[in-house]
Amino acid sequence: MNADSTVRVACPYCGERISIAIDAGADAQRYIEDCEVCCRPIVFEVWRDAAGDWGVAASREDDA
C-alpha cells in the first residue's frame, strides 16, 4: 500500500465493511475511530511488516 491507500475493514460490532485511510507518517499506529455505520468506537492497529506492506487489525474498544 502506498501513503494514499485506503483499506476496507469489517466493523467488529456490526460487521459492515468500512474504509479507513492509512497514514504513512509512522510505521505503527493505534487509534480509535467510530464506525461509519453503527457509530461504535473501533480500535485500529496499523503496522508495517518487514516487507514494507501494511497490516490493519480492528477490535472492539471494550476488548482493548
Side-chain angles (χ1 to χ4, degrees):
M1 287 184 206
N2 61 34
D4 301 315
S5 292
T6 58
V7 179
R8 295 198 41 88
V9 179
C11 171
Y13 296 97
C14 68
E16 289 293 325
R17 304 223 12 116
I18 59 173
S19 295
I20 63 165
I22 298 294
D23 176 10
D27 286 341
Q29 305 161 51
R30 185 174 193 268
Y31 62 95
I32 298 173
E33 189 172 313
D34 289 344
C35 174
E36 300 167 354
V37 179
C38 71
C39 300
R40 293 173 117 182
I42 304 169
V43 177
F44 290 103
E45 294 190 51
V46 182
W47 66 91
R48 200 181 302 214
D49 65 18
D53 295 323
W54 290 103
V56 178
S59 61
R60 296 169 61 117
E61 185 182 41
D62 53 8
D63 289 344

